[in-house]
């Protein structure tokens, strides 16, 4: 009886998981099917196309232009800089004791509570006066500055999960705090760094607000701005829009699939250390 009951529970669990998987995959499936439909077939949402209409992808690539590479040029340095600064800031906070450490930590966390919309206008004038408007370097600066509080919060909590005995043993062996950070702590925190890198990559790659506010030419506009151009007040080009969307999610999806194990360990606070 116990074996039969366990088998039924397994079947029920797998059925529920399968249903959830279908629900979550449905938008992606609809987008993939729509991306290869001709304009005359777009109204039949739940039907398969009579033939593959690859013209949507040609239009998508033509309209996106160099914006895809702009997104890469913005995302990679911004992610690296924000994680580096967050790790350096989170390291002392993980080992600080007393009210002063909590106060500094709280002040940094307040940066996570500031909505984008509040700083949008003053940020526009600030970047313009600095001569970084409509430049990839300006996007680096904005994304890095806005991501530092979250990166600090994430890495501080991750470093706090590392046994303090590791730090004390390093000090006894003559390893100073700086050398301990670069030689021991960071290599032991690869799962946390990978998880944070994926989270930040997704956030920066999908950003539209800062991109549409701080860029105006094709030389600096990321892919999200170009994709938004497929939908206007007069019409929505569903076929090219879905094609461009699918192409744009490939880098983040590939990064997640490559580092998914490290991502899960990092979110669990370094359970695999």
């Amino acid at each position: 009886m116990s074996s039969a009951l366990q088998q039924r529970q397994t079947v029920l669990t797998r059925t529920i998981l399968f249903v959830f998987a279908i629900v979550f995959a449905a938008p992606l499936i609809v987008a993939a099917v729509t991306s290869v439909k001709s304009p005359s077939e777009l109204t039949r949402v739940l039907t398969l196309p009579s033939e593959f209409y690859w013209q949507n992808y040609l239009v998508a690539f033509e309209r996106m232009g160099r914006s895809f590479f702009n997104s890469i040029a913005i995302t990679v340095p911004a992610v690296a800089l924000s994680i580096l600064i967050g790790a350096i800031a989170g390291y002392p906070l993980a080992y600080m004791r007393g009210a002063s450490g909590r106060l500094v930590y709280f002040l940094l966390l307040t940066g996570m509570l500031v909505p984008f919309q509040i700083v949008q206008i003053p940020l526009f004038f600030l970047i313009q006066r600095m001569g970084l408007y409509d430049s990839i370097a300006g996007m680096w600066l904005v994304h890095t500055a806005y991501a530092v509080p979250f990166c600090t919060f994430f890495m501080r909590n991750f470093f706090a999960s590392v046994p303090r005995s590791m730090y004390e043993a390093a000090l006894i062996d003559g390893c100073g705090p700086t050398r301990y950070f670069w030689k021991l702590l960071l290599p032991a925190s690869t799962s946390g760094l990978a998880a944070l890198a994926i989270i930040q990559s997704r956030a920066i790659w999908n950003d539209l607000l800062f991109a549409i506010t701080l860029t105006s030419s094709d030389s600096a506009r990321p892919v999200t701005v170009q994709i938004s151009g497929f939908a206007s007040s007069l019409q929505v080009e569903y076929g090219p829009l879905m094609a461009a969307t699918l192409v744009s999610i490939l880098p983040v999806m590939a990064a997640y699939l490559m580092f998914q194990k490290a991502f899960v360990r990092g979110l669990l606070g370094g359970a695999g250390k």
Side-chain angles (χ1 to χ4, degrees):
M1 291 295 294
S2 59
S3 177
L5 180 60
Q6 185 176 5
Q7 187 175 4
R8 289 180 182 177
Q9 290 177 344
T10 302
V11 172
L12 179 61
T13 302
R14 291 180 178 178
T15 303
I16 294 174
L17 292 176
F18 178 77
V19 171
F20 272 101
I22 293 297
V23 170
F24 280 100
L28 188 61
I29 295 172
V30 172
V33 172
T34 304
S35 69
V36 291
K37 282 185 176 182
S38 63
S40 60
E41 296 178 307
L42 290 175
T43 54
R44 299 191 294 270
V45 179
L46 300 180
T47 62
L48 296 175
S50 58
E51 60 179 357
F52 291 145
Y53 189 76
W54 300 111
Q55 186 68 23
N56 291 329
Y57 283 89
L58 295 178
V59 173
F61 279 113
E62 182 180 353
R63 294 272 292 275
M64 285 193 296
R66 60 171 292 177
S67 64
F68 190 86
F69 300 100
N70 289 342
S71 289
I72 296 176
I74 292 171
T75 301
V76 174
V79 168
L81 287 171
S82 60
I83 291 178
L84 177 62
I85 297 174
I88 294 175
Y91 171 50
L93 290 175
Y95 292 93
M96 288 178 67
R97 296 292 184 268
S100 59
R102 289 192 294 271
L103 177 62
V104 174
Y105 184 51
F106 174 77
L107 291 176
L108 280 172
L109 289 183
T110 54
M112 297 173 56
L113 306 178
V114 180
F116 289 174
Q117 293 81 357
I118 291 180
V119 300
Q120 186 177 7
I121 295 177
L123 185 62
F124 171 80
F125 289 110
L126 177 62
I127 292 296
Q128 195 174 45
R129 290 181 181 179
M130 293 175 65
L132 295 175
Y133 177 75
D134 195 29
S135 67
I136 291 178
M139 297 298 291
W140 293 348
L141 178 62
V142 169
H143 284 301
T144 300
Y146 211 89
V148 162
F150 175 76
C151 291
T152 302
F153 163 78
F154 189 97
M155 293 310 302
R156 182 263 181 191
N157 291 337
F158 192 90
F159 290 154
S161 69
V162 177
R164 190 174 178 83
S165 58
M166 180 177 171
Y167 174 70
E168 296 171 349
L171 293 182
I172 293 174
D173 290 338
C175 181
T178 303
R179 189 178 178 187
Y180 167 76
F181 174 73
W182 293 107
K183 297 293 185 180
L184 295 176
L185 186 59
L186 278 187
S189 305
T190 52
S191 59
L193 295 172
L196 183 57
I198 293 176
I199 294 172
Q200 285 300 108
S201 297
R202 184 200 60 79
I204 296 174
W205 184 273
N206 292 334
D207 169 68
L208 178 62
L209 180 63
F210 286 146
I212 207 169
T213 304
L214 302 177
T215 61
S216 59
S217 67
D218 292 338
S219 61
R221 277 183 171 175
V223 69
T224 50
V225 178
Q226 298 299 99
I227 291 177
S228 67
F230 287 106
S232 65
S233 58
L234 299 178
Q235 66 172 348
V236 179
E237 302 173 74
Y238 288 105
L241 175 61
M242 294 298 104
T245 301
L246 290 176
V247 171
S248 69
I249 67 175
L250 289 178
V252 177
M253 184 179 294
Y256 173 76
L257 293 177
M258 290 174 60
F259 303 106
Q260 58 179 322
K261 292 184 179 179
F263 176 74
V264 173
R265 288 199 304 268
L267 293 183
L268 294 176
K273 289 194 291 292

